[in-house]
Amino acid sequence: MITDTLPAQFAAQQFASDNYSGVCPEAWAAMAEANSGHAAAYGEDVWTAKAADAFRQLFGTPCDVFFAFNGTAANSLALASLCQSYHSVICSASAHVETDECGAPEFFSNGSKLLVAQTADGKLTPDAIRALATGRSDIHFPKPRAVTITQPTETGQVYSLDEIRAISAVCRDLGLRLHMDGARFANACASLGCSPAEMTWKSGVDVLCFGGTKNGMAVGEAILFFDRALAEDFDYRCKQAGQLASKMRFLSAPWVRMLENGAWLRNAAHANAGAQRLAAGLAGVPGVAPLFPVQANAVFLTAPAAVLEGLRVRGWRFYTFIGGGARFMFAWDTQPERVDQLVADIREVARAAAA
Ligand SMILES: *Cc1c(COP(=O)(O)O)cnc(C)c1O
């Protein structure tokens, strides 16, 4: 059945996921612009060349750049390029690669095992990496070869530059490569106010997956190899994995415009502001509090079950299977009034639940 009116719960903005949002005007315009006439296929077009140049310009370094359809593939293929099948990859217990990619990192690497570190707040630490990497050195254990960190983390915290540098120092010491899952990389840049270069290659990151989808594009993630030797044959890896877009200009053109005019950073700053607005609005509500420091575009709330139920009854959608709280995510298009409405509803249901 085709209807031209949306169900009521979708007509108003929801904050269940930053992927509930649509395509930002800059990305949409770039796709329209790229949609004139014919262009060479499989990444041989001018848009893809321009996008790779725009990344090199933004990061100030001659990195190798590739485009994939989604983050699961970008992460998995990037990690596979760092490992042989008998290697292992150290990650946090809450890492997307571990909890939300259906085993794709192991699948695309032909078996490189994820070694999971339990840490207090979901961030990897130098000590946790060292413990996992040096706990076993016999031939029966998969040899540690890479570390992956998520910036910002799945629960919305940001690694400081000092934390990234401390991790990369341990990696260098132990002969490990460092991968960064930047599905929300722009949000971390906006949060720290540092340059993309400082956050990555200047702090020892070898490979970055830079998320476009959650930043406001229809589809697409970029994979940047700062150590270009690691990019050898990566194009074949993408093709074999079904990630070589034949009409690649539609994945790459949005990056050109968004990187050149700063929309990537504006979108992220706007999303982060939505999270700050919710967190600030809830100060002092009894029983309701952020579970984690709010440093990017996510707010995870702990709240009595009656409050969460009350919010659902009022039509709010959110997930509780990630991070242990009720997750609210903000996107490039977050309407401040809608955040205020959420705040007002939380305050009312909390008051009713306490009465
Ligand atoms: C969304 C996300 C991804 C990518 O997910 P896809 O659905 O495969 O695009 C990767 N890492 C993190 C931390 C994410 O939140």
Side-chain angles (χ1 to χ4, degrees):
M1 186 181 69
I2 296 171
T3 57
D4 52 13
T5 52
L6 288 165
Q9 74 267 31
F10 286 110
Q13 257 189 13
Q14 292 286 345
F15 306 120
S17 169
D18 31 2
N19 279 338
Y20 276 31
S21 66
V23 181
C24 72
E26 292 85 353
W28 193 258
M31 287 174 81
E33 199 183 329
N35 192 32
S36 61
H38 283 204
Y42 297 107
E44 301 294 323
D45 61 285
V46 294
W47 302 103
T48 301
K50 277 189 188 176
D53 281 341
F55 276 110
R56 289 187 273 266
Q57 184 78 30
L58 180 70
F59 283 80
T61 190
C63 49
D64 279 356
V65 183
F66 300 86
F67 300 93
F69 289 107
N70 61 35
T72 297
N75 282 338
S76 300
L77 296 174
L79 290 172
S81 73
L82 306 180
C83 293
Q84 298 289 338
S85 59
Y86 50 85
H87 283 143
S88 53
V89 176
I90 294 170
C91 68
S92 153
S94 52
H96 197 270
V97 291
E98 161 70 6
T99 63
D100 288 285
E101 298 190 356
C102 199
E106 293 92 335
F107 176 77
F108 282 115
S109 62
N110 290 309
S112 305
K113 185 178 168 64
L114 294 178
L115 302 182
V116 171
Q118 304 290 341
T119 57
D121 60 358
K123 278 189 188 176
L124 271 184
T125 62
D127 285 350
I129 292 166
R130 193 176 286 282
L132 269 175
T134 59
R136 288 272 299 270
S137 58
D138 57 275
I139 197 155
H140 305 285
F141 194 69
K143 189 178 182 184
R145 173 46 62 97
V147 169
T148 175
I149 57 174
T150 309
Q151 175 75 326
T153 67
E154 289 70 12
T155 49
Q157 296 121 285
V158 173
Y159 287 89
S160 69
L161 295 184
D162 281 346
E163 286 174 323
I164 298 170
R165 290 177 191 137
I167 285 171
S168 74
V170 171
C171 289
R172 267 195 309 280
D173 191 31
L174 299 173
L176 306 170
R177 296 297 193 168
L178 182 57
H179 165 262
M180 180 178 277
D181 174 353
R184 301 185 180 91
F185 180 75
N187 301 87
C189 289
S191 176
L192 284 186
C194 69
S195 72
E198 285 173 307
M199 187 102 82
T200 55
W201 63 274
K202 287 187 176 173
S203 295
V205 173
D206 296 305
V207 186
L208 168 70
C209 294
F210 188 145
T213 312
K214 287 169 181 153
N215 192 227
M217 295 178 195
V219 58
E221 320 280 299
I223 303 123
L224 280 66
F225 286 90
F226 302 111
D227 180 342
R228 302 177 75 175
L230 297 172
E232 191 185 344
D233 290 346
F234 193 73
D235 44 354
Y236 287 89
R237 209 179 273 285
C238 288
K239 173 65 189 183
Q240 187 183 50
Q243 289 289 323
L244 177 64
S246 51
K247 294 189 182 177
M248 195 180 287
R249 63 180 144 147
F250 298 105
L251 290 193
S252 55
W255 287 107
V256 178
R257 186 175 290 223
M258 288 180 67
L259 295 185
E260 285 180 357
N261 74 11
W264 71 280
L265 197 56
R266 281 194 302 279
N267 283 356
H270 182 84
N272 290 357
Q276 290 299 335
R277 194 176 183 97
L278 175 61
L282 294 179
V285 179
V288 179
L291 271 172
F292 307 99
V294 178
Q295 298 174 338
N297 66 327
V299 180
F300 286 72
L301 289 179
T302 174
V307 170
L308 299 185
E309 183 50 30
L311 287 176
R312 290 205 166 96
V313 167
R314 287 175 181 231
W316 289 102
R317 298 167 67 95
F318 50 88
Y319 297 110
T320 52
F321 69 88
I322 308 157
R327 187 187 79 155
F328 295 92
M329 302 293 306
F330 300 88
W332 64 272
D333 64 342
T334 291
Q335 298 161 348
E337 324 74 71
R338 190 65 181 148
V339 181
D340 294 345
Q341 214 171 337
L342 176 58
V343 168
D345 278 351
I346 293 174
R347 286 186 167 275
E348 278 180 31
V349 295
R351 200 177 307 128

